[in-house]
C-alpha cells in the first residue's frame, strides 16, 4: 500500500525541482548570452520565481533527512566561471548594499554575481539529492539552505535588481550613486531600443 504522505512529498519535491532547474538553466543562459540589456529583466524574473519556491519551502513544517549524515552525491558544480561571466555582464551595478537583518540593521556590501552563484550552488546541491531519488533529503537541504542562506540572498538580489528597474523607469537621480544609476540606465536603454 502506498503512503499518501510519501506521494505528497514526492510531488512537492518535483514542483520545487522544476523551479530549481528553471532558475539554474536561466542563470546559465543569461551568463552565456552576455546581453547586459536583457540580463536585468531576466534575472529579476528568475530571482522572483525562485523566491516563490523558497517561500513555499519556508511555509512548510520542517523536513527531516533520512539519516544523520548527508549522503554523498558527488562533487559540487564548479560555478566560478558562471560568477565571473555574471560579474562581467553586470559591470558597475554588480556591487550593491543591503541590510542583512532588518532587526539588527547593519548595511553590508555585496556583489550580485557572488550572491546569484551562491544561490545556484545551494540549489544545485539539493538537485543532486533529488536526482538520486532522495526527495526528503533534497527538500530538507533546499529548506535548510533557504532559511540559513539563499533566501536572504535572493531577497537582497531581488531588491537590487528591482532598484535598477525602478531608477531606470522613474528616472530618479541619486547624488551618491550617480555612476551606478547611469550604468543601469545605459544597460536597460539597450534592452528598450532592441524591442522598439
Amino acid at each position: 500500500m502506498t503512503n499518501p504522505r510519501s506521494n505528497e512529498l514526492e510531488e512537492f519535491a518535483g514542483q520545487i525541482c522544476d523551479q530549481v532547474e528553471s532558475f539554474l538553466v536561466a542563470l546559465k543562459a543569461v551568463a552565456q548570452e552576455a546581453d547586459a540589456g536583457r540580463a536585468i529583466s531576466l534575472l529579476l524574473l528568475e530571482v522572483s520565481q525562485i523566491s516563490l519556491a523558497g517561500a513555499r519551502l519556508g511555509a512548510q513544517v520542517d523536513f527531516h533527512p533520512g539519516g544523520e549524515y548527508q549522503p554523498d552525491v558527488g562533487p559540487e558544480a564548479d560555478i566560478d566561471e558562471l560568477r565571473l561571466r555574471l560579474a562581467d555582464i553586470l559591470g558597475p551595478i554588480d556591487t550593491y548594499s543591503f541590510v542583512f537583518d532588518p532587526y539588527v540593521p547593519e548595511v553590508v556590501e555585496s556583489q550580485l554575481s557572488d550572491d546569484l552563484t551562491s544561490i545556484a550552488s545551494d540549489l544545485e546541491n539539493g538537485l543532486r539529492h533529488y536526482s538520486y531519488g532522495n526527495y526528503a533529503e533534497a527538500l530538507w537541504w533546499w529548506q535548510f539552505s533557504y532559511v540559513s542562506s539563499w533566501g536572504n540572498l535572493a531577497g537582497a538580489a531581488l531588491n537590487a535588481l528591482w532598484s535598477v528597474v525602478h531608477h531606470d523607469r522613474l528616472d530618479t537621480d541619486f547624488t551618491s550613486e550617480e555612476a551606478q544609476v547611469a550604468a543601469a540606465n545605459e544597460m536597460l536603454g539597450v534592452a528598450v531600443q532592441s524591442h522598439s
Side-chain angles (χ1 to χ4, degrees), residues 110-180:
S110 194
Q111 281 74 41
L112 280 167
S113 55
D114 286 347
D115 294 346
L116 292 169
T117 51
S118 180
I119 294 166
S121 179
D122 281 342
L123 294 172
E124 194 272 335
N125 186 37
L127 191 59
R128 283 182 286 130
H129 288 290
Y130 181 88
S131 68
Y132 277 87
N134 196 338
Y135 307 126
E137 188 76 35
L139 285 169
W140 176 83
W141 176 256
W142 284 324
Q143 185 183 60
F144 170 76
S145 60
Y146 168 74
V147 173
S148 66
S149 175
W150 72 263
N152 196 10
L153 294 179
L158 185 62
N159 196 37
L161 293 164
W162 170 85
S163 183
V164 172
V165 172
H166 164 82
H167 290 296
D168 176 64
R169 299 283 166 84
L170 299 182
D171 199 25
T172 302
D173 291 321
F174 276 160
T175 53
S176 62
E177 298 177 350
E178 287 179 9
Q180 289 182 340

Side-chain angles (χ1 to χ4, degrees), residues 39-112:
I40 301 301
S41 300
L42 292 172
L43 290 172
L44 181 65
L45 176 64
E46 294 303 326
V47 174
S48 296
Q49 292 294 327
I50 203 61
S51 294
L52 173 61
R56 291 180 70 202
L57 288 161
Q60 301 292 318
V61 296
D62 288 350
F63 293 106
H64 297 284
E68 187 178 345
Y69 301 104
Q70 196 178 90
D72 183 12
V73 286
E76 290 185 6
D78 182 7
I79 56 170
D80 201 45
E81 184 180 339
L82 177 65
R83 184 186 60 77
L84 293 172
R85 283 179 172 271
L86 289 170
D88 187 49
I89 293 164
L90 295 168
I93 63 166
D94 190 30
T95 299
Y96 71 105
S97 300
F98 73 101
V99 175
F100 186 78
D101 183 344
Y103 295 104
V104 185
E106 178 185 347
V107 176
V108 297
E109 195 171 87
S110 194
Q111 281 74 41
L112 280 167

